[in-house]
Amino acid sequence: ARVASVTVQSDPLIHGGKSVAAVDAIATVNASGRRWAIALINRDPTREIACTLKLGELSPNGRCSAIQLAGDSADAFNDIEHPHRVTPQKINLHFANGVAKLPPHSLTI
Protein backbone atom coordinates (compact mmCIF):
# COMPACT_ATOMS: atom_id res chain seq x y z
CA ALA A 1 0.00 0.00 0.00
CA ARG A 2 3.05 2.28 0.22
CA VAL A 3 4.89 3.27 -2.93
CA ALA A 4 8.40 4.42 -2.10
CA SER A 5 10.15 7.35 -3.70
CA VAL A 6 12.50 6.06 -6.39
CA THR A 7 15.22 7.88 -8.30
CA VAL A 8 16.35 6.19 -11.51
CA GLN A 9 19.43 7.21 -13.45
CA SER A 10 19.80 5.39 -16.73
CA ASP A 11 21.34 5.65 -20.15
CA PRO A 12 18.74 6.35 -22.82
CA LEU A 13 17.38 3.71 -25.16
CA ILE A 14 16.98 5.40 -28.54
CA HIS A 15 14.67 4.10 -31.25
CA GLY A 16 13.15 5.93 -34.21
CA GLY A 17 14.51 9.28 -33.06
CA LYS A 18 12.84 9.00 -29.65
CA SER A 19 14.38 7.99 -26.35
CA VAL A 20 13.30 6.46 -23.07
CA ALA A 21 15.32 5.37 -20.04
CA ALA A 22 16.76 1.89 -20.60
CA VAL A 23 16.11 1.00 -16.94
CA ASP A 24 13.04 1.79 -14.89
CA ALA A 25 11.99 0.83 -11.36
CA ILE A 26 9.21 1.00 -8.81
CA ALA A 27 9.37 0.07 -5.13
CA THR A 28 6.83 -0.59 -2.41
CA VAL A 29 7.45 -0.98 1.32
CA ASN A 30 5.38 -2.28 4.21
CA ALA A 31 4.27 -0.08 7.12
CA SER A 32 7.31 -0.98 9.27
CA GLY A 33 9.71 -0.09 6.44
CA ARG A 34 11.40 -3.50 6.70
CA ARG A 35 9.91 -5.46 3.80
CA TRP A 36 10.43 -4.13 0.28
CA ALA A 37 9.24 -5.20 -3.17
CA ILE A 38 11.26 -3.72 -6.01
CA ALA A 39 10.53 -4.13 -9.72
CA LEU A 40 13.47 -3.51 -12.08
CA ILE A 41 12.88 -3.25 -15.82
CA ASN A 42 15.57 -3.49 -18.49
CA ARG A 43 13.99 -2.22 -21.71
CA ASP A 44 17.09 -2.76 -23.84
CA PRO A 45 16.25 -5.58 -26.28
CA THR A 46 19.84 -6.84 -26.66
CA ARG A 47 22.05 -5.60 -23.84
CA GLU A 48 22.45 -6.86 -20.27
CA ILE A 49 22.59 -3.89 -17.90
CA ALA A 50 24.39 -3.63 -14.57
CA CYS A 51 21.88 -2.00 -12.22
CA THR A 52 22.96 -0.33 -8.97
CA LEU A 53 20.42 -0.43 -6.16
CA LYS A 54 20.62 1.60 -2.96
CA LEU A 55 18.13 1.65 -0.12
CA GLY A 56 19.03 4.89 1.59
CA GLU A 57 22.68 4.42 2.51
CA LEU A 58 22.48 0.63 2.22
CA SER A 59 23.66 -1.37 -0.81
CA PRO A 60 22.49 -4.98 -0.99
CA ASN A 61 25.11 -7.73 -1.08
CA GLY A 62 24.58 -11.43 -1.69
CA ARG A 63 21.60 -13.32 -3.00
CA CYS A 64 18.04 -12.11 -3.11
CA SER A 65 15.01 -14.22 -4.06
CA ALA A 66 13.37 -12.81 -7.17
CA ILE A 67 10.97 -13.59 -9.96
CA GLN A 68 12.20 -12.76 -13.45
CA LEU A 69 10.35 -12.54 -16.73
CA ALA A 70 12.63 -12.67 -19.76
CA GLY A 71 12.61 -14.41 -23.11
CA ASP A 72 15.37 -15.66 -25.36
CA SER A 73 14.81 -12.58 -27.56
CA ALA A 74 12.89 -9.33 -27.46
CA ASP A 75 10.45 -10.85 -29.96
CA ALA A 76 9.77 -13.96 -27.85
CA PHE A 77 6.13 -14.77 -27.16
CA ASN A 78 4.00 -17.71 -26.11
CA ASP A 79 1.83 -19.55 -28.61
CA ILE A 80 0.17 -22.96 -28.92
CA GLU A 81 3.39 -24.62 -30.08
CA HIS A 82 5.55 -22.86 -27.44
CA PRO A 83 3.25 -22.14 -24.48
CA HIS A 84 6.08 -21.69 -21.98
CA ARG A 85 8.65 -19.78 -24.01
CA VAL A 86 8.24 -16.69 -21.81
CA THR A 87 7.28 -17.54 -18.23
CA PRO A 88 8.16 -16.10 -14.82
CA GLN A 89 11.16 -17.89 -13.28
CA LYS A 90 12.18 -17.98 -9.62
CA ILE A 91 15.83 -16.94 -9.45
CA ASN A 92 18.49 -15.86 -7.01
CA LEU A 93 19.50 -12.35 -8.01
CA HIS A 94 23.13 -11.74 -7.07
CA PHE A 95 24.16 -8.33 -5.73
CA ALA A 96 27.79 -7.24 -5.32
CA ASN A 97 28.12 -3.82 -3.64
CA GLY A 98 24.56 -3.04 -4.69
CA VAL A 99 25.02 -4.05 -8.35
CA ALA A 100 23.00 -6.78 -10.09
CA LYS A 101 22.91 -7.67 -13.76
CA LEU A 102 19.57 -7.47 -15.52
CA PRO A 103 19.14 -9.57 -18.70
CA PRO A 104 18.02 -7.89 -21.92
CA HIS A 105 14.34 -7.03 -22.21
CA SER A 106 13.40 -8.24 -18.74
CA LEU A 107 11.35 -7.58 -15.62
CA THR A 108 12.83 -8.64 -12.28
CA ILE A 109 10.85 -8.37 -9.03
Side-chain angles (χ1 to χ4, degrees):
R2 298 171 189 250
V3 177
S5 176
V6 175
T7 301
V8 178
Q9 296 175 338
S10 173
D11 291 337
L13 179 61
I14 300 169
H15 180 72
K18 296 183 180 183
S19 70
V20 64
V23 175
D24 202 356
I26 188 168
T28 59
V29 62
N30 68 355
S32 70
R34 298 178 59 76
R35 187 167 169 88
W36 290 77
I38 302 168
L40 304 169
I41 300 138
N42 176 0
R43 292 185 178 112
D44 195 298
T46 60
R47 188 171 54 105
E48 177 182 80
I49 294 180
C51 177
T52 302
L53 178 66
K54 289 189 176 185
L55 300 169
E57 297 297 317
L58 301 175
S59 296
N61 273 305
R63 294 180 187 192
C64 179
S65 296
I67 296 176
Q68 193 168 74
L69 183 64
D72 56 5
S73 80
D75 297 324
F77 61 92
N78 297 338
D79 59 19
I80 292 173
E81 294 165 1
H82 305 97
H84 304 291
R85 187 172 179 194
V86 182
T87 58
Q89 302 292 316
K90 291 182 181 182
I91 64 162
N92 284 314
L93 189 61
H94 298 275
F95 283 94
N97 297 319
V99 179
K101 294 181 180 177
L102 304 177
H105 206 252
S106 64
L107 166 65
T108 304
I109 301 172

